[in-house]
Amino acid sequence: MNYQQILPTEPLRKYVRYFWILEDDSLGFSQKTFKIISDGLPGLIFQENEKAFHDKDNQELPQLFLYGQTTRYTEHRAIKNFRNIGVYFEPTALKSIFGVDSNELTNQHISINELVNTNITDQLSDTTSSNQRIELLSSFLIHLAKQRNTENEKVNFATVQLQKGVSLPTIQNELNLSERSLERHFKQHIGISPKLYARINRFQSALESMRQTRFNSLTDITYQNDYFDQSHFIREFHEFAGTNPKHFIRNANEQVANFPEWKI
């Protein structure tokens, strides 16, 4: 497999973290299973081969689809050669770009054609250049974002602070918001509660430590990321990654962050 990551242009940087390209054009292709890990980010995926990927229920995924927050791991399977282009959005992008309440897409995906009146799927299919496809997607997203006025600075502030590990009570005091008010904002703009978003970010911090240390010390990772003990960490890891830390290190080929191919 080949993987490439591309940063967005300046107008998109408050909405898009990065674009990615993943392809497998090998002659002896065999079915691949990907475990999708909860990461606190929504996204969008275009499939050059519209019948290449199936979801966990063995249903074909749309050629161009948007997905929301995931509260636990899921799986996709590639049954034939593929070249996919993905967009990792910032946490509030579903509301900011597409105008939908983010909770409507939590643990869900939807074809772009069901959400927006557009011919962007045909445009992407009509070119074989990945760079041109990213340019088309960038223009499409910028155009949609300009039509919206749904930025929520309080939620943007809260997500950044939670990514840094700041506590929820501290954030609520800083924003002068009650717990219920912050939850209401998160449901609309993020798609999950602040507490769950904080848990996912803590898990992601621990996972990044594992990637860097290659699992030298589970105990260190556990306490550095404020888990009560190893059992607590392993339970959270299994919920968001679908396996335990040792099996992840042994079996995950993570060319795309949080989208590892799984050795069977």
Side-chain angles (χ1 to χ4, degrees), residues 5-228:
Q5 191 177 115
I6 300 97
L7 294 176
T9 58
E10 182 61 38
L12 271 180
R13 288 183 183 170
K14 66 178 180 178
Y15 307 113
V16 173
R17 192 160 292 187
Y18 57 83
F19 295 91
W20 55 265
I21 303 166
L22 184 68
E23 59 184 333
D24 188 332
D25 59 358
S26 57
L27 293 177
F29 181 86
S30 58
Q31 179 176 296
K32 299 181 186 301
T33 298
F34 295 87
K35 280 187 183 289
I36 302 171
I37 299 171
S38 300
D39 58 10
L41 301 175
L44 178 148
I45 294 177
F46 170 74
Q47 302 185 82
E48 184 176 271
N49 185 341
E50 59 183 313
K51 298 183 183 297
F53 271 79
H54 289 196
D55 66 15
K56 62 181 176 60
D57 299 316
N58 204 32
Q59 299 297 309
E60 289 181 3
L61 289 164
Q63 187 168 16
L64 179 63
F65 64 94
L66 188 69
Y67 63 88
Q69 294 279 353
T70 56
T71 62
R72 64 191 308 275
Y73 79 96
T74 186
E75 290 185 359
H76 286 173
R77 290 185 298 108
I79 63 171
K80 57 181 66 177
N81 294 103
F82 59 87
R83 179 163 59 157
N84 289 0
I85 295 179
V87 185
Y88 264 129
F89 289 119
E90 294 295 343
T92 59
L94 295 186
K95 185 69 172 175
S96 300
I97 295 177
F98 299 95
V100 297
D101 284 355
S102 297
N103 63 293
E104 294 180 11
L105 283 177
T106 299
N107 294 321
Q108 303 289 331
H109 64 262
I110 186 172
S111 169
I112 285 293
N113 296 330
E114 295 182 35
L115 192 64
V116 181
N117 183 17
T118 177
N119 66 348
I120 184 63
T121 306
D122 292 335
Q123 293 179 53
L124 292 168
S125 297
D126 288 342
T127 180
T128 58
S129 165
S130 294
N131 288 337
Q132 289 180 10
R133 284 172 170 164
I134 289 174
E135 289 176 6
L136 285 168
L137 282 170
S138 297
S139 298
F140 170 66
L141 296 172
I142 290 170
H143 174 73
L144 289 179
K146 286 181 177 178
Q147 298 177 18
R148 315 291 177 194
N149 186 24
T150 54
E151 287 294 304
N152 187 305
E153 294 304 323
K154 290 185 176 182
V155 174
N156 289 339
F157 174 84
T159 57
V160 171
Q161 296 305 302
L162 287 171
Q163 289 167 24
K164 294 177 180 178
V166 178
S167 71
L168 276 171
T170 300
I171 293 169
Q172 289 163 205
N173 288 336
E174 184 74 20
L175 294 174
N176 194 27
L177 285 177
S178 67
E179 181 178 354
R180 181 171 295 182
S181 293
L182 188 59
E183 285 186 356
R184 185 176 66 251
H185 285 306
F186 261 67
K187 182 178 180 181
Q188 186 176 37
H189 291 270
I190 305 295
I192 55 179
S193 71
K195 288 181 180 179
L196 180 53
Y197 182 79
R199 284 177 56 209
I200 291 172
N201 275 277
R202 177 175 60 180
F203 157 73
Q204 281 290 323
S205 176
L207 180 57
E208 184 59 28
S209 297
M210 282 178 51
R211 292 172 179 138
Q212 293 174 3
T213 63
R214 303 305 296 173
F215 206 65
N216 287 339
S217 174
L218 182 58
T219 300
D220 289 348
I221 291 171
T222 295
Y223 293 114
Q224 285 168 3
N225 291 279
D226 296 325
Y227 288 99
F228 298 128

